[in-house]
Amino acid sequence: MVDRRHLIEAGLAGGGALLATSLAPASARGAAMQVPSLSTLAKQRGILFGTAIGPLVATSQSYREVVVADAGLVVPEYEMKWRFIEKTQGVYDFSAVDRRLAFAQQNGMAFRGHTLVWHQSLPDWLPNAINPGNGRQLLTRHINAVAGRYKGKLHSWDVVNEAIDISPAGVGGLRNTTWLQNVGPDYIQIAFEAAAAADPGAMLVYNDYGLIYASGGGDMKRAATLRMLERLVSRGVPVHALGLQGHIEAPIRNFDPNVLSRFCNDVAALGLKIMITEIDVSDQYAPADIAVRDALVAEAYQAILGCVLAVPATVAAVTWGLSDIHSWLATYRPRKDGLQVRPLLYTDGMQKKPAWEAVASALRG
Ligand code: XIL
């Protein structure tokens, strides 16, 4: 008779572990075999956990399985951005987005739109086509075409992305974008009203970065963002949530959970929900040692999610990718030593990292 205890204590990997659990009592066997997914843990808290997706869900079975296992919501990383939707003026290509939406629907996932109005990822033809006489029409036509196509199918839209700029380059606290120049400061209100008309059922989100750290700049950007949201709400503009881009660094620094949660609760006091969007943890300046780096990255996930998930108004937590096999940070925040960046929850071989455990722990509360 094989000694069950010996097998389990021997910690035999792979088949041994399977054998050990198959010898375990049914209750333990069930528990051992069913580690709750991140989407399950999130749903148990009444929120959604998800991630950004792209072509990898179609080209990599192992990546697709990880997304299906852990994501209760997905958002296209770039395929819904204007430069991918309307490369030639008046010629729309929704094929990639339709495939991502079909993937979400087939797997019972909620779907986010990102993003209707941004100063980046604009089509090459736009700068020469837009002027103060047609800016509003170009903006609302885009919103009607894109948000209208997916009417009733989306959980939420990032309607306006990164409009606040507190630097000297900003104009009255707004980023000096083609939208400010050719539509005017009311472009944000116009965008939200157009999005609400095109898709009345979607939660409409203002999304921005630089709102997390307890630094002077963070304080100024949080104040400017709150003032803008107060103005929109006081005018009855259909804005429903603030999206906090969760692009942070390891080791986490300049982070005071009291500062961030106070800001989130101030936003919630306007009647708005909170989403932490685009979470990833850059290890660009972390030590080279993988175990040390992975631990620091995990600590950063734990710190940021531990704070934001404690805010009652928080409805979703979204990472900007799930596996180190693909992260925009490999291009945008590469390490000087040339080592592969490790900002996400799974290795490029789809093994769970300490960051996965940290997110699971934060979701458990
Ligand atoms: C990034 C994508 O991850 C990249 O693939 C793309 O080249 C540029 O945009 N804030 C945002 C996201 O709102 O849309 C950006 O995504 C990352 C910063």
Side-chain angles (χ1 to χ4, degrees), residues 77-78 81 114 118 161-162 207 245 247 278 320 328 332:
E77 181 179 352
Y78 56 83
K81 291 169 183 171
H114 176 79
W118 193 23
N161 195 33
E162 304 181 358
N207 194 52
Q245 289 187 22
H247 300 298
E278 306 187 25
W320 210 238
W328 75 302
Y332 287 79

Side-chain angles (χ1 to χ4, degrees), residues 1 15 106 130 139 218 231 244 248 259 280 296 300 304 322 347 360:
M1 171 64 179
Q106 287 153 13
I130 195 169
L139 180 66
R231 266 198 313 275
L244 295 164
I248 57 177
V259 170
D280 50 25
L296 290 170
I304 187 78
L322 273 181
T347 66

Side-chain angles (χ1 to χ4, degrees), residues 1-2 4 7-8 14-30 32-33:
M1 171 64 179
V2 173
R4 183 180 74 241
L7 266 179
I8 293 172
L18 191 59
L19 180 58
T21 47
S22 65
L23 293 174
S27 57
R29 187 162 64 243
M33 298 296 279

